[in-house]
Amino acid sequence: MNADLDIVSAGMVTAVGLDAPSSCAAMRARLDGFQETRFLGAAGEWLIGAPVPLPRNWMGAKRLAHMAAAAIVEAFEAMPEARGRTALVLCLAEEDRPGRPAPDSRHLLTQIEQITEIVGPIAARIVAHGRPSGHVALEAASRLLASNTAPFVIIVGVDSYLTSQTINHYLARERLLTPKNSNGFIPGEAAAAILCARTGGTMHLTGLGLAREEAHIYNDKDIPFRGEAMTTAYKEAFAGSGRLHSDITLKMGDFVGETYWFQQCAIAMLRTQREHSEVRPIWALGASLGNVGAAAVPLMLGWALSAIQRGYAPSGPILIEASGDDGACGAAVVEAR
C-alpha cells in the first residue's frame, strides 16, 4: 500500500519516562518499567506490571486523558505552528476488550481536547483496534493529508491493561506472565503522539500493509497457523515502499511476550525474505514496557524518529509491525529523509 507522509515530532508518557527523550533513552538502554502492582495473581502473589509514574493518582478515563494530553503537548512543542491546524486520530483499545478504562471514546476525546486546549480540531477520528490501531491511523492520516483536509495530523495512542477487570480476564485465560506461566505478557500502560505532515519531517512513511489473520490467538476453528496476515502486511508495506525485505536494516515490533507473536514474526520473515542479507537487529517494545495496547505503534514510530535524529538507528529502511488478539496485523516501512 502506498503511503506518503512525514513524521515531524513525537511525545511520550511511559513506564520508563514521562517524555520522549527519556523514554527513548531508557528503551535504547534496554531498561524496563516492570514492578509489583496491587493486583493479585491466582496464587496470591503480586502481579508484575508496567505502570506510568504519574504525579497524581488519576484513575480510569481521567488517567488516560492526562497521559494522552501530555504526549500531545510535547509533540506540539517542536512544531507550535501546528496548533489549530491539526486533525486528530485517536487510537484506543478494542471496543470489546473487558475492562477498557475509557468505555466512552467520545467523552475521552473531549477530555483530551479540554486538557490540551485543542479547541475543535479540524477533524477527529477514533480507531479502536488495540495494538495495530496505529497502522490504521497512518492510513487515515495519509488520506487526510492527501485530501488537504488539514496541513497536520496528530496520531495519538493511549491505553492501559492495568484495570481489575482486564487483569482478571487475562488471568482467567492464562495470558499473563506469572511464576507459573512463562508464556504470558506483562500488562502495561502508555501514551504517545506523533505529528504528521506531507513534508518537513525527519522521517518519511513509505509503505503500509494491513491484513487480518483467521488463525488468531483465540482461534477455535483449528485453522492452521501459517502467518498469512502478517506475511500479507509485510508484502504490502514492501511493495508500497519499493523495497525488498533484504533492504530492511532494523525491525521494531510490539512483541508483548507470548510465543504466538514471535512465531508470527518468524513465519512472515521466512515467507518474505528471498535475498541474502546480514542479520538485522530487532527492537522489542514489550521488553521495556510490556503490553501497552493501542499506544504501541505511535510509540515505535516515535522511537524510530528519535533513533534517526540522534544517529543510533542503522542507516536504511525500518520495518514497524504490530498485531492484535483478533487477528488484525499491520506493518509499516519508514525511512530517514
Side-chain angles (χ1 to χ4, degrees), residues 131 170 175 183 185 213-220 225 256 258-261 264 324-327:
R131 289 193 299 278
Y170 287 105
R175 296 272 316 271
N183 184 28
F185 68 80
E213 178 64 59
E214 291 188 10
H216 51 73
I217 198 167
Y218 288 132
N219 170 31
D220 57 1
F225 179 52
V256 297
E258 296 163 294
T259 57
Y260 176 93
W261 314 111
Q264 177 177 254
D325 293 355
D326 62 355

Side-chain angles (χ1 to χ4, degrees), residues 13-321:
V13 175
T14 72
V16 294
L18 297 181
D19 57 27
S22 57
S23 294
C24 292
M27 291 187 290
R28 180 188 181 189
R30 301 297 186 264
L31 302 180
D32 65 62
F34 304 151
Q35 59 181 276
E36 288 186 346
T37 67
R38 297 296 90 185
F39 297 106
L40 291 175
E45 78 283 6
W46 297 118
L47 284 174
I48 300 299
V52 172
L54 292 178
R56 296 185 185 178
N57 191 29
W58 292 301
M59 302 296 289
K62 188 173 184 179
R63 183 177 183 85
L64 292 195
H66 279 277
M67 288 165 55
I72 291 170
V73 170
E74 183 185 2
F76 276 137
E77 286 176 354
M79 187 68 68
E81 61 268 33
R83 278 185 168 271
R85 305 169 60 206
T86 306
L88 185 149
V89 183
L90 181 61
C91 301
L92 299 175
E94 306 91 327
E95 292 185 356
D96 60 351
R97 195 178 82 199
R100 62 198 302 257
D104 189 339
S105 301
R106 285 291 166 185
H107 180 62
L108 175 63
L109 180 59
T110 300
Q111 285 183 292
I112 293 170
E113 291 172 358
Q114 290 173 346
I115 295 170
T116 58
E117 297 182 351
I118 303 175
V119 181
I122 294 172
R125 299 186 181 184
I126 293 172
V127 178
H129 295 299
R131 289 193 299 278
S133 294
H135 288 105
V136 180
L138 284 171
E139 182 183 27
S142 185
R143 293 181 187 278
L144 286 166
L145 292 169
S147 65
N148 293 318
T149 301
F152 297 94
V153 177
I154 191 162
I155 296 174
V156 185
V158 62
D159 205 347
S160 176
Y161 278 77
L162 295 170
T163 71
S164 296
Q165 192 176 351
T166 298
I167 294 293
N168 291 335
H169 171 78
Y170 287 105
L171 268 178
R173 284 154 182 77
E174 299 183 342
R175 296 272 316 271
L176 297 186
L177 183 67
T178 66
K180 293 185 177 181
N181 181 28
S182 60
N183 184 28
F185 68 80
I186 293 176
E189 60 182 4
I194 54 167
L195 186 63
C196 308
R198 288 292 298 273
T199 58
T202 310
M203 187 172 78
H204 187 60
L205 173 71
T206 59
L208 183 65
L210 300 168
R212 185 171 295 276
E213 178 64 59
E214 291 188 10
H216 51 73
I217 198 167
Y218 288 132
N219 170 31
D220 57 1
K221 299 178 181 178
D222 294 326
I223 301 172
F225 179 52
R226 301 190 180 97
E228 300 281 0
M230 188 57 80
T231 300
T232 298
Y234 274 28
K235 288 179 177 178
E236 288 186 0
F238 295 149
S241 63
R243 295 289 191 171
L244 301 174
H245 196 150
S246 54
D247 296 325
I248 300 299
T249 58
L250 168 65
K251 177 179 288 185
M252 303 175 71
D254 47 347
F255 304 131
V256 297
E258 296 163 294
T259 57
Y260 176 93
W261 314 111
F262 293 101
Q263 290 172 352
Q264 177 177 254
C265 172
I267 292 171
M269 290 174 65
L270 287 170
R271 296 184 65 182
T272 56
Q273 177 87 37
R274 291 292 179 265
E275 299 76 23
H276 175 75
S277 66
E278 297 179 3
V279 176
R280 305 301 191 185
I282 299 177
W283 294 357
L285 188 72
S288 291
L289 305 180
N291 189 347
V292 293
V297 175
L299 279 170
M300 289 188 285
L301 288 165
W303 190 9
L305 177 67
S306 176
I308 288 172
Q309 291 175 335
R310 295 179 180 274
Y312 63 89
S315 177
I318 300 172
L319 177 66
I320 295 174
E321 71 165 72

